[in-house]
Amino acid sequence: MSAATNSNESYCTFTLASDVTAGGLPSEEEIAKQLESNDPKVKRHALKAAIMAMLGGEAMPRILMQVIRFCINSDDKPLKKLCMLYWEVVPKYQEPSSDQILRAASGGPPVQRKLLPEMILVCNALMNDLNHPNEYVRGSMLRFLCKVKDEEILGPIIPSIKACLQHRHPYVRKNAAMAVFHAHRLHGESLIPDGPELVATFINAETDVGARRNAFLMLYNESEELAIQFLAKNLDDVSKFGDGFALLVLDLTRKACRRDPNQKSRFVRVLFQMLSSESPAVSYEAAWTLISLSNSPTAVRAAAATYTNLLNSQNDNNVIMIVLERLEKLQKKHAKILQELLPDIMRGLSSPNPDICKKILDVAMTLVTSKNVAEVVTTLKREVSKTTQESADSSEDKGKVYRNMLIMAIHGCAVRFPHVAESVVHTLMDFLSSDGGMQVIIFVRAIVERYPDLRPAILSKLINTVDEVTNNNVMCICLWILGEYCETFDAVTDAFDTITKQLGNAPFIVQAEEKQAQEQAAIEAAKGRKLVTKNVILADGTYATQTVYSEPKVSQSALDKSPHLRKMIIEGDIFLGTIIASCLTKLCLRAPDVGVDAVTVKSMTVKALLAMCGIVKMAEVTVSAQKSSLADCSERVTLCCRALLDPKAKALLKQTLLSEGKHSFAAFLAHVQDKSSSGSEESKDEMVSAQADDLIHFRQLRSLTAQGGDLDLDDGSDLARATGYTDGGSLLSNELSHVYQLSGFADPVYAEAFVTVHEYDILLEILVINRTPNTLANLTVELSTMGDMKIVERPQSQTIGPLDQMTIRASIKVSSTETGHIFGTIVYEDTSTQEKGYINLNDIHMDIMDYIRPATCTDEIFRSMWAEFEWENKVAIATSITDLIEFVDHIVTSTNMSCLTPHDRSEKGSFLAANLYAKSVFGEDALVNVSVEKKEDNDGKLAGYIRIRSKTQGIALSLGDRITSVQRGLQPNKKH
């Protein structure tokens, strides 16, 4: 492609505010007239308008001479700055004629650029500013010269740039060093061949931190050997040269050692010196540089210690997360060294951010061993105790989430190291009545099953704390544990007495007297509102009068004296009533086997039957959200009553009721453990790219007879090794799926876009082909977006020769997970007919799947988010798939989500429910519940609903549209 002829694209490196465009830009004549004014404000306004007009594509050739005549020698500092901006955007070369462009496009000699004659005056003005007595004028001009790329302009002023290296002011010397670097990088051999030697002499005598840093940057890029020599001479003084210089030294270290590993010994000393730098940026960069160059235990230990110091000394959450990611990567190869620093890592749990605490716990749990588990558990127990002592107004949000994290971490330690389970389980059981009670009771349930030796103490503690449980779900698990694992005389009798005492006598409905007492207390509370006035002393010592309303507390003595278990049943918890019936039945069936006498067993049976009858009556009378569970409750309670009253039913059901529950739960724990262990092993195992005994093929050493064929069998493997892709066909198809045709083949301009999505950014590479025999000037792709997308970089105007093509790039920023559209128009001008043309482009539909990533979470977190999120989208199932699990697998694959509900593929049923979870790149959660049923009366077709919930409306609607499209697009009997 030929060089860009648009001056804006070639030279513009800034963005100018458009405050001067209010009311429209003035014409070229008006700007020229305003530039002749003696008022600097008028000149500044006119020059801004000229810059804005030229950025918009206007040529304005008359303005250049006006600026040279009336603005170039002004002493007004803002006007001087605008002049520098104007020099960037103004065309510096004569525009080639159309004949020259056509000859170059047809294969003739390239177009030779000629500098405008006016640029000689501009070069003279630049030289005058470089010799200006004001050091800030010199410095700003040197900064401007770092943006000039034209050899014809830089050539005459090189001596002035060199002279500025000896200026007395450090601001001038600092920018002069950068100007020398820029000139040598672009035109080193022709303009300033002695640049590195000049800067090497300069840096040895320089004392300013900024000037020394810029000079070292020039040596680092243009003459690496001189940079290394300077570093070797001043090795002990690197810490005094500033943070910028130290970061350059680290870049030089990485560059030199990667090219020549034998250079490592020259930089080890300075790297260890930088680890103790006061600058966190320098110490962080030095740590990962040291790790990348050396795997010795001493180097890794020093770098890890630096990371932990940064972890505990920094307040920025982003910095802490970056350090934790480094520690996580370090743990994969050097876990034993990090185990020594585990206490220092866990000191970061004092952070108020729950995300940081979660990351620290994830890293810490991978470093726990039998040697340090006791210390880790002690720290976790101390942190759990702290969560109850924190004030509600300071860390309430963190307290609940953080407590659940700690309990899960303790649970993991107890599963891996059984000897610590006894020391933590009793401590955690004190939190059964707190917000983290569900996590605690799940942990207790697993410990009771895994470690039979701990059951007596845990069951005794659980029986004594049942009266403190206030959460219905926690109470259900407590009663299930008591019913399954109480296998001694004392445990059975104590558990039965405690449950019946907490439950009380039937009926389990609100009595008329109690209801009347509550209504009377409410009436008294409404009447008893009193106005109280008192004098108070303010913080500044003055007196003030304070008036408050005092209300007597509502007296609910009847309910307050009731145990929590009875309150839950009276409030209509039918499911809990079913659990109570099952628990009491198991205790009564097990009582004769543990030595309870027949009279006591009969008394227990009668109490259990009365309680179950009261529960069924409560379920029939009470109006609650669980009214639909009445039939299941009645069927379950009837089965329990038959097991207690009918000897034949008792003989058939006793073994099932007393043992099958424990066996199922043990199998569930084994499945969870196998799944977690297999997942960890898969994550550890890396894909082997080549075996140790594989042959190595050297194509250059192969004989000519082996290369006689047209097809080389090693091409595919060579390509796979070079690119990292084992399936070239899938790679090509993946790229082609992101190519969108924007215009038709019969249009004068054909355009297609290749879309690359990288988290928050969308990059459009638009291929534009001129299908006409004429040159198209000022061709612009004007884009617009719909949705939460913003165009960051708009395409510039281009000039395309006959039958030529070019690639135009545009950048779009995305702010949320929402289906968006990109649409636009191509505008161009035919140079032969001077007519303007417009081509409307096809829309680009951005798929939500580009932003969705599979994720996992616990069932408790899923339920809490499901209850919290307010946006729901309900999609009816209409598919040709007839297998339940196959349909769920298809939905999981099509939506790029992960299934949280384990399924046994060997079992066949008519109903299936599953929870799916995913996260967007913007941190948004997407929850999906699939409830599908196979109806035999509907020719075996699947029916049901898929419910989507999210915090924002966009992701719920977009995900619903995605699910609707993928399930309707299936072919009958198609396997996925």
Side-chain angles (χ1 to χ4, degrees):
M1 189 175 68
S2 60
T5 58
N6 191 302
S7 302
N8 302 344
E9 180 188 356
S10 301
Y11 303 106
C12 181
T13 58
F14 65 93
T15 302
L16 193 66
S18 57
D19 57 340
V20 297
T21 62
L25 289 171
S27 63
E28 185 176 6
E29 290 76 10
E30 292 174 347
I31 294 175
K33 186 176 180 180
Q34 290 176 2
L35 289 174
E36 298 177 6
S37 173
N38 294 325
D39 188 356
K41 293 183 179 180
V42 177
K43 289 184 178 181
R44 290 199 297 264
H45 187 275
L47 196 53
K48 283 183 182 180
I51 296 173
M52 293 299 299
M54 297 181 73
L55 287 174
E58 298 291 337
M60 292 199 171
R62 289 180 52 195
I63 302 302
L64 176 58
M65 203 61 204
Q66 291 293 97
V67 173
I68 294 174
R69 291 175 57 193
F70 301 104
C71 301
I72 205 167
N73 295 320
S74 175
D75 293 332
D76 186 67
K77 300 300 186 297
L79 187 59
K80 277 187 174 293
K81 182 63 178 176
L82 286 174
C83 285
M84 295 177 189
L85 300 180
Y86 178 75
W87 302 140
E88 288 189 51
V89 74
V90 68
K92 302 172 181 60
Y93 295 89
Q94 297 178 5
E95 291 290 339
S97 63
S98 58
D99 295 337
Q100 291 176 331
I101 296 177
L102 288 175
R103 283 196 299 269
S106 60
V111 178
Q112 297 293 333
R113 300 193 303 172
K114 294 182 180 180
L115 195 69
L116 290 172
E118 293 88 344
M119 285 295 111
I120 299 176
L121 301 175
V122 174
C123 291
N124 186 50
L126 300 182
M127 190 179 302
N128 291 337
D129 282 345
L130 286 178
N131 298 322
H132 199 279
N134 189 316
E135 57 269 15
Y136 293 104
V137 174
R138 286 197 184 196
S140 60
M141 179 51 61
L142 288 167
R143 291 183 61 186
F144 162 70
L145 292 177
C146 293
K147 303 175 183 179
V148 178
K149 303 178 181 179
D150 306 281
E151 184 177 359
E152 294 87 347
I153 296 177
L154 289 175
I157 57 179
I158 288 296
S160 299
I161 296 176
K162 291 182 178 180
C164 289
L165 288 173
Q166 309 301 326
H167 196 272
R168 58 179 177 81
H169 201 281
Y171 180 71
V172 177
R173 300 197 303 272
K174 176 175 67 175
N175 290 291
M178 287 300 296
V180 171
F181 169 42
H182 175 76
H184 188 271
R185 183 179 58 181
L186 295 177
H187 317 286
E189 297 301 325
S190 57
L191 287 185
I192 184 168
D194 60 338
E197 293 77 11
L198 185 67
V199 173
T201 306
F202 166 77
I203 195 175
N204 287 321
E206 184 56 52
T207 57
D208 181 69
V209 173
R212 187 189 294 112
R213 182 260 178 198
N214 290 349
F216 191 78
L217 176 63
M218 193 270 184
L219 295 179
Y220 160 65
N221 287 279
E222 302 301 318
S223 180
E224 186 177 308
E225 188 59 34
L226 291 176
I228 295 177
Q229 290 178 9
F230 175 79
L231 181 61
K233 292 179 183 178
N234 302 272
L235 205 57
D236 296 331
D237 299 329
V238 171
S239 59
K240 303 176 184 178
F241 289 171
D243 300 345
F245 186 88
L247 293 176
L248 283 178
V249 171
L250 292 172
D251 286 340
L252 174 63
T253 302
R254 291 190 290 267
K255 181 180 177 181
C257 294
R258 285 170 184 168
R259 187 181 65 252
D260 184 10
N262 296 324
Q263 300 266 359
K264 292 181 182 180
S265 58
R266 303 176 63 179
F267 298 98
V268 169
R269 179 182 170 188
V270 71
L271 286 178
F272 275 94
Q273 184 179 346
M274 290 183 184
L275 289 177
S276 58
S277 173
E278 296 180 358
S279 171
V282 174
S283 58
Y284 170 80
E285 292 285 337
W288 84 264
T289 301
L290 186 61
I291 294 174
S292 63
L293 299 181
S294 175
N295 289 325
S296 66
T298 304
V300 174
R301 188 174 290 106
T306 302
Y307 283 146
T308 55
N309 292 335
L310 291 173
L311 180 66
N312 297 307
S313 62
Q314 296 301 308
N315 297 323
D316 191 337
N317 293 337
N318 295 323
V319 174
I320 296 176
M321 292 297 289
I322 292 173
V323 172
L324 287 173
E325 290 178 359
R326 287 289 178 184
L327 287 172
E328 190 175 21
K329 293 180 180 178
L330 200 61
Q331 175 268 333
K332 296 178 181 179
K333 296 183 178 179
H334 308 283
K336 291 185 178 180
I337 296 176
L338 282 184
Q339 289 168 7
E340 305 171 4
L341 302 171
L342 184 56
D344 295 331
I345 296 175
M346 297 192 68
R347 282 169 52 198
L349 292 174
S350 58
S351 172
N353 190 301
D355 294 332
I356 292 177
C357 295
K358 183 179 184 303
K359 192 73 172 179
I360 292 174
L361 289 175
D362 292 341
V363 174
M365 288 303 102
T366 59
L367 301 174
V368 176
T369 62
S370 57
K371 296 180 180 180
N372 57 20
V373 63
E375 185 179 1
V376 172
V377 169
T378 303
T379 303
L380 295 176
K381 288 165 60 177
R382 184 172 63 248
E383 291 294 324
V384 170
S385 302
K386 286 182 181 179
T387 58
T388 61
Q389 301 171 2
E390 293 174 348
S391 57
D393 57 346
S394 62
S395 300
E396 182 179 0
D397 294 338
K398 180 198 171 185
K400 181 179 179 180
V401 177
Y402 183 43
R403 189 184 302 115
N404 290 337
M405 294 179 193
L406 294 171
I407 294 172
M408 293 178 65
I410 295 175
H411 187 180
C413 293
V415 171
R416 292 171 55 191
F417 308 98
H419 63 276
V420 301
E422 185 176 4
S423 64
V424 298
V425 66
H426 296 288
T427 303
L428 292 182
M429 289 181 69
D430 295 334
F431 297 94
L432 281 175
S433 58
S434 64
D435 295 333
M438 178 58 69
Q439 292 290 339
V440 173
I441 197 62
I442 290 175
F443 167 65
V444 171
R445 183 180 63 180
I447 295 299
V448 169
E449 169 60 33
R450 292 178 186 274
Y451 308 115
D453 297 340
L454 302 179
R455 287 178 187 174
I458 294 177
L459 292 175
S460 176
K461 176 79 171 179
L462 188 60
I463 292 171
N464 295 328
T465 55
V466 164
D467 58 336
E468 300 176 2
V469 177
T470 57
N471 185 280
N472 294 34
N473 295 327
V474 176
M475 182 65 78
C476 290
I477 300 179
C478 289
L479 295 177
W480 183 87
I481 294 174
L482 294 177
E484 290 290 341
Y485 296 101
C486 288
E487 297 174 341
T488 62
F489 176 85
D490 295 335
V492 170
T493 55
D494 292 345
F496 189 88
D497 294 341
T498 301
I499 295 173
T500 53
K501 181 180 178 181
Q502 295 292 320
L503 188 60
N505 297 324
F508 304 118
I509 56 177
V510 179
Q511 300 296 327
E513 296 81 3
E514 296 178 357
K515 188 174 183 181
Q516 185 176 3
Q518 295 177 18
E519 294 176 352
Q520 185 65 29
I523 294 173
E524 292 178 358
K527 292 181 180 179
R529 195 173 186 179
K530 296 180 181 180
L531 188 66
V532 179
T533 303
K534 60 181 179 179
N535 295 327
V536 295
I537 302 176
L538 301 180
D540 57 355
T542 59
Y543 289 90
T545 302
Q546 185 181 50
T547 304
V548 295
Y549 284 101
S550 66
E551 298 180 0
K553 294 182 179 180
V554 178
S555 175
Q556 298 181 353
S557 57
L559 289 178
D560 290 341
K561 292 181 180 178
S562 301
H564 295 298
L565 182 59
R566 184 176 180 85
K567 289 181 187 178
M568 298 174 189
I569 296 298
I570 291 177
E571 291 172 358
D573 194 336
I574 300 176
F575 183 72
L576 178 60
T578 307
I579 299 295
I580 293 174
S582 177
C583 176
L584 294 178
T585 301
K586 293 175 184 177
L587 293 176
C588 291
L589 292 177
R590 190 176 286 118
D593 299 337
V594 296
V596 181
D597 58 274
V599 177
T600 305
V601 171
K602 185 174 293 186
S603 175
M604 292 171 60
T605 304
V606 172
K607 290 182 180 179
L609 292 172
L610 291 175
M612 287 187 277
C613 293
I615 289 171
V616 174
K617 185 66 176 177
M618 177 273 300
E620 294 175 350
V621 175
T622 305
V623 178
S624 67
Q626 298 183 11
K627 191 68 176 178
S628 59
S629 303
L630 174 60
D632 295 336
C633 176
S634 301
E635 182 180 354
R636 181 70 171 174
V637 172
T638 301
L639 180 66
C640 293
C641 292
R642 290 193 61 188
L644 293 178
L645 296 175
D646 188 355
K648 293 183 179 180
K650 179 179 179 180
L652 293 173
L653 297 174
K654 182 176 180 180
Q655 186 64 25
T656 302
L657 291 175
L658 297 183
S659 60
E660 288 299 323
K662 287 186 285 189
H663 294 334
S664 299
F665 182 59
F668 170 75
L669 289 180
H671 172 74
V672 171
Q673 186 174 5
D674 293 342
K675 186 177 180 181
S676 60
S677 61
S678 62
S680 61
E681 290 176 0
E682 290 177 2
S683 62
K684 291 180 181 178
D685 294 339
E686 297 182 356
M687 185 177 62
V688 179
S689 58
Q691 297 294 336
D693 56 349
D694 283 352
L695 295 178
I696 302 176
H697 297 283
F698 295 95
R699 183 175 301 181
Q700 289 79 3
L701 302 180
R702 293 171 61 188
S703 63
L704 294 177
T705 56
Q707 299 179 5
D710 295 334
L711 177 64
D712 192 341
L713 298 179
D714 284 339
D715 282 344
S717 60
D718 288 348
L719 181 63
R721 291 171 182 170
T723 60
Y725 292 97
T726 57
D727 190 357
S730 63
L731 174 63
L732 179 61
S733 62
N734 185 37
E735 290 184 352
L736 291 178
S737 65
H738 291 83
V739 175
Y740 298 85
Q741 181 178 344
L742 301 181
S743 64
F745 294 107
D747 290 326
V749 178
Y750 174 76
E752 65 180 22
F754 176 63
V755 182
T756 304
V757 179
H758 181 68
E759 294 188 352
Y760 297 89
D761 300 315
I762 298 177
L763 179 63
L764 298 181
E765 297 183 7
I766 305 173
L767 174 64
V768 179
I769 303 177
N770 181 8
R771 300 176 60 85
T772 67
N774 304 325
T775 300
L776 302 182
N778 296 326
L779 186 143
T780 306
V781 181
E782 299 178 351
L783 298 176
S784 299
T785 60
M786 181 183 299
D788 288 342
M789 297 189 295
K790 180 181 179 182
I791 299 178
V792 178
E793 180 185 353
R794 293 185 179 274
Q796 296 290 336
S797 300
Q798 305 286 344
T799 298
I800 307 181
L803 303 177
D804 197 1
Q805 68 181 32
M806 65 172 52
T807 301
I808 301 174
R809 290 176 175 80
S811 180
I812 298 175
K813 184 72 70 174
V814 186
S815 57
S816 69
T817 309
E818 184 178 349
T819 300
H821 297 270
I822 304 173
F823 55 95
T825 308
I826 292 181
V827 183
Y828 62 89
E829 181 180 346
D830 195 327
T831 56
S832 60
T833 62
Q834 300 299 321
E835 294 181 357
K836 286 192 175 182
Y838 303 89
I839 300 176
N840 293 324
L841 303 179
N842 294 330
D843 292 357
I844 299 177
H845 175 79
M846 299 309 302
D847 195 355
I848 187 178
M849 292 299 103
D850 293 327
Y851 313 119
I852 293 293
R853 302 289 184 271
T856 58
C857 68
T858 61
D859 293 339
E860 292 75 21
I861 296 176
F862 186 91
R863 293 192 192 100
S864 64
M865 289 191 295
W866 186 269
E868 176 187 354
F869 293 168
E870 56 183 0
W871 291 103
E872 178 174 320
N873 190 6
K874 193 174 183 180
V875 180
I877 294 177
T879 180
S880 57
I881 296 180
T882 57
D883 185 74
L884 296 173
I885 295 182
E886 184 181 356
F887 175 74
V888 173
D889 291 341
H890 172 68
I891 295 298
V892 169
T893 305
S894 303
T895 56
N896 202 19
M897 306 186 79
S898 59
C899 183
L900 304 180
T901 307
H903 296 292
D904 189 355
R905 297 180 177 271
S906 61
E907 294 184 1
K908 300 296 182 181
S910 60
F911 181 83
L912 188 145
N915 293 331
L916 313 182
Y917 178 63
K919 263 195 155 183
S920 71
V921 296
F922 312 103
E924 300 169 327
D925 299 291
L927 312 178
V928 174
N929 174 260
V930 181
S931 297
V932 56
E933 182 181 5
K934 188 173 184 179
K935 293 188 176 182
E936 300 297 338
D937 57 348
N938 194 21
D939 298 332
K941 292 185 178 180
L942 303 184
Y945 292 95
I946 299 176
R947 298 166 65 192
I948 306 140
R949 285 197 181 185
S950 65
K951 188 174 291 186
T952 58
Q953 182 183 17
I955 190 171
L957 295 177
S958 302
L959 203 55
D961 294 340
R962 171 69 178 180
I963 292 175
T964 303
S965 63
V966 297
Q967 69 168 351
R968 289 182 178 177
L970 293 176
Q971 298 295 329
N973 301 326
K974 184 178 180 180
K975 299 298 181 184
H976 296 272

